[in-house]
Amino acid sequence: MKKEDMISFPVKTFPYRVYYADTDAGGVVYYAHYLRMFEQVRALYVEDYGLSLREMEERNCLFVCSRAEVDYHSPALLDDTVSIQTQITEQGAAHLTFSYQITSGPRRDETGQEIRLVTGMTKMVACKKMDHRVVPIRIPRWMLDKLAWRT
């Protein structure tokens, strides 16, 4: 990727309320649901740049997760309102890496800081459908132009 195509991306924060469907029988968020939260805020993040999932599909460009990491620090609980911070932390020729941090507003540590609940990342590879397969591609110029628009 050319240096002029490299973009510095801001951190954006999105609220999320924990509902019963997010939890196990004990009122604790089920561990795999954090990946769904990551996906939701990732979609909101790119929508802020004018990139809709529908447009990407229509232009035969989709992003496939090639790697995911989740570190669990403290559980989110039923009825918590959490903050999910996300940012694109790496941009390659064919991928974007997003980092995430989920904190709990209502619950604080002994110093008054929000409790860090979960941190993680996902590496998303640009792909297109071709001959009943999904194949990696370079991130298209039209998408890079939109991502550069609001940074």
Side-chain angles (χ1 to χ4, degrees):
M1 176 157 286
K2 298 178 210 164
K3 186 161 181 76
E4 62 268 16
D5 289 337
M6 299 305 286
I7 302 166
S8 175
F9 295 94
V11 173
K12 296 184 180 188
T13 303
F14 301 92
Y16 184 89
R17 180 167 175 217
V18 175
Y19 289 97
Y20 186 76
D22 296 315
T23 65
D24 61 16
V28 173
V29 171
Y30 180 66
Y31 75 95
H33 286 209
Y34 293 105
L35 289 169
R36 187 172 41 83
M37 291 178 198
F38 291 175
E39 182 173 348
Q40 288 174 347
V41 299
R42 186 173 60 247
L44 293 170
Y45 190 94
V46 299
E47 284 174 2
D48 277 355
Y49 288 93
L51 289 168
S52 75
L53 298 179
R54 171 115 23 242
E55 178 186 11
M56 286 189 262
E57 182 180 334
E58 288 169 356
R59 292 180 138 200
N60 196 17
C61 181
L62 57 140
F63 279 85
V64 175
C65 185
S66 67
R67 181 178 176 84
E69 292 180 10
V70 184
D71 292 308
Y72 305 96
H73 306 283
S74 184
L77 306 173
L78 178 63
D79 288 331
D80 275 354
T81 299
V82 299
S83 294
I84 308 174
Q85 292 182 335
T86 190
Q87 177 183 29
I88 297 172
T89 52
E90 182 182 341
Q91 175 193 353
H95 78 274
L96 297 172
T97 300
F98 290 79
S99 64
Y100 311 91
Q101 177 172 271
I102 301 176
T103 56
S104 175
R107 291 185 282 140
R108 305 283 174 154
D109 66 16
E110 58 279 353
T111 66
Q113 297 294 315
E114 289 186 1
I115 295 174
R116 182 176 63 169
L117 304 176
V118 173
T119 53
M121 62 76 70
T122 54
K123 181 177 181 179
M124 307 301 294
V125 177
C127 295
K128 71 177 182 177
K129 293 178 185 176
M130 186 174 76
D131 300 325
H132 304 290
R133 297 178 304 137
V134 176
V135 296
I137 60 171
R138 293 180 69 84
I139 298 171
R141 168 59 45 198
W142 64 267
M143 188 175 289
L144 290 173
D145 290 345
K146 284 191 174 190
L147 288 170
W149 182 64
R150 287 199 195 168
T151 56

